[in-house]
Structures are given as C-alpha cells and as structure tokens.
Amino acid sequence: MKNKNVLITGANKSIGFETARELGLLGYKVWLGSRDHDRGQLAVNRLTKDGIDAQLIIIDVTNMLSINEAARRIQHEDGKLDVLINNAGILGSHDVAPGEQPIDDIMAVYDTNVFGLIRVTQAFIPLLKCAQNARIIMVSSGLGSLKWVSDLNHPYSRVQAMGYTSSKSAVNAITVAFAKGLMAEGISVNAVDPGYTATDFNGHTGYRTVAEAARGIVWLAAEANADITAGFYFDQNRAPW
Ligand code: NAP
C-alpha cells in the first residue's frame, strides 16, 4: 500500500475511526476527517501512537468552505486521493411515525447524509482522477434497502425513522449515479452496510463490533477487485437495493 492515501469523513470515533485504524495498519496514509479539531486531534494521536501515518483534516460535510479547504490541502500535500470514504452520518429523530417527523429534522439528516456526501464526493473527484484506480465508498445502511424495509418479516421494516432510512436509500441511488459517471475514469464507487453496530449512533445497542462493521469497508477500500463498482455490500456479500 506504499504511497496510497485515504480520506475518511467522521473518522474521529466509532466506525470511521476503526476504518482509519485498519487502513492505517495496512500502510495507507490516513487523512482523518473530523468536524471538531480537538476530537479529531485526540483520534489522530491514538493512531500515531500505533505507528500509523495519520493527519487531521477538518471537514464538516455540511460546510462547503471546510470541504474546499480540505481538498486544497490534500491537493497541495499529496496531489491525489486514492480512496474516499464517505462515512459521516446522523440518525435524526427515530421511533417517530412518518407523519410526525418534523421536516426540519428530515432536512438536517439529508444535509449531512445525502447533500454532505454529494458535496464531499464532487469536491474530491479532481483529486481522485489523479490517482490510479481510485475508489469511493459510501457508508450506507441496511435501513436504506427498500427490499429489507418493505419486507414485513424483516426486522428493519419495523424501524421508524423516515428521514434516516430514506436518506440511505438516496445514498444507494447516488452511489449508482456516481459509479456510472466515473466508470470511464476507472474510479469505482460502492455502497456498504456496516450492519447494526454498537456505537454512540444508537446508544451502543447494536450487536456488531466496530471491527465487524469496518470489515466490508476495508475490503472495498483495499482488497476488492478494482472493477467492482455500482454495488451495495454487507461485509463482502451483495445486499439488496
Ligand atoms: P457515530 O458513532 O455517531 O459517528 C458518526 C461520525 O460522523 C462522528 O465522527 C461524527 O462527528 C461524524 N459527523 C456527524 N455529522 C457530521 C458532519 N456534519 N460533518 C462531519 N462529520 C460528521 O456513528 P457510526 O455508528 O460510527 O456511523 C458511521 C456511519 O455508519 C454513518 O453514516 C451511519 O449512518 C452508518 N451506519 C451505522 C450503523 C450503526 O448501527 N452504528 C448502521 C448502519 C449504518 P462528531 O463526533 O463530531 O459528532
């Protein structure tokens, strides 16, 4: 992995941090995205202690200025980006009926999970084009699978969080759009469901560890064939759209 670099948004903790740690241990230079300086620096210090080449990069995915500044810095320091992992995400209201979820709450979820991911991806396409066979990974969710959420026998069909679940369905659709748009450039774009994972996101109620959650992300980032694109994965298996 010599000289390969990766940018991960929302990497100061949880699934993003574990992904950063594992890719760092594989030899990637890690640009650790965090919207908060101190939380990000603490996370970078933990990686550096393990001998990982990690640098803090401030990115709030809802703030275009911070995204552009981050792109300028990586352009200046590395001149390319091999792997972009759009991991930052929020849940918004949950256990709320679709008719009751405040529109402002839904808009805030979309601003991070959908528009944030588009903003970051668009800003980094020029740098991804400068790498060989660059990869984009969208951290989606099984709750974005229309097959699973519409199957009344599937536990995901009982989750009431319309803003979040639909935002991740949108992420899946956006994955396909970018994948088709970037195919000619040799850039792969895939979505991945980390599974229900114990993190701050859900008050640590998930049944998977962050290491299990990161497995499929790391596989798409570093191990999967470069021609795998426009897919949605759970671990290394295709998940249904
Ligand atoms: P988490 O523990 O809540 O961590 C989320 C990360 O995203 C944090 O670093 C957070 O930063 C960051 N973030 C939130 N808003 C941001 C913004 N506007 N700009 C930049 N960073 C922002 O969540 P997680 O469980 O690790 O989830 C990571 C991803 O996996 C999300 O996309 C989530 O939807 C997806 N996912 C999670 C599960 C699960 O069960 N945990 C299941 C399926 C999918 P701060 O620390 O500053 O808040």
Side-chain angles (χ1 to χ4, degrees), residues 9-17 33-36 39 59-63 66 86-91 111-113 116 138-143 156 164 167-168 192-202 204-208 210 213 217:
T9 62
N12 52 289
K13 65 178 182 180
S14 307
I15 297 171
F17 177 77
S34 173
R35 61 179 161 175
D36 178 85
R39 288 196 288 274
I59 294 190
D60 179 335
V61 303
T62 65
N63 180 332
S66 77
N86 283 300
N87 166 76
I90 59 171
L91 177 57
D111 199 22
T112 300
N113 298 6
M138 311 296 198
V139 180
S140 180
S141 169
L143 291 172
Y156 289 172
Y164 180 75
S167 78
K168 293 298 189 178
V192 59
D193 168 22
Y196 188 32
T197 304
T199 67
D200 290 348
F201 192 82
N202 48 35
H204 293 261
T205 55
Y207 66 88
R208 275 159 70 92
V210 288
I217 306 172

Side-chain angles (χ1 to χ4, degrees), residues 94-115:
H94 48 99
D95 300 325
V96 56
E100 305 293 330
Q101 185 168 13
I103 194 73
D104 286 352
D105 180 58
I106 297 169
M107 286 169 72
V109 171
Y110 272 62
D111 199 22
T112 300
N113 298 6
V114 179
F115 304 126

Side-chain angles (χ1 to χ4, degrees), residues 68-139:
N68 285 338
E69 179 52 36
R72 265 195 300 275
R73 184 164 160 218
I74 296 181
Q75 164 69 48
H76 181 71
E77 293 200 21
D78 290 354
K80 57 139 191 184
L81 181 64
D82 292 289
V83 182
L84 168 63
I85 302 179
N86 283 300
N87 166 76
I90 59 171
L91 177 57
S93 301
H94 48 99
D95 300 325
V96 56
E100 305 293 330
Q101 185 168 13
I103 194 73
D104 286 352
D105 180 58
I106 297 169
M107 286 169 72
V109 171
Y110 272 62
D111 199 22
T112 300
N113 298 6
V114 179
F115 304 126
L117 166 147
I118 296 172
R119 285 185 197 103
V120 173
T121 303
Q122 289 181 337
F124 281 91
I125 283 174
L127 275 171
L128 291 157
K129 284 183 179 171
C130 293
Q132 277 239 303
N133 295 122
R135 297 167 185 228
I136 302 174
I137 292 120
M138 311 296 198
V139 180

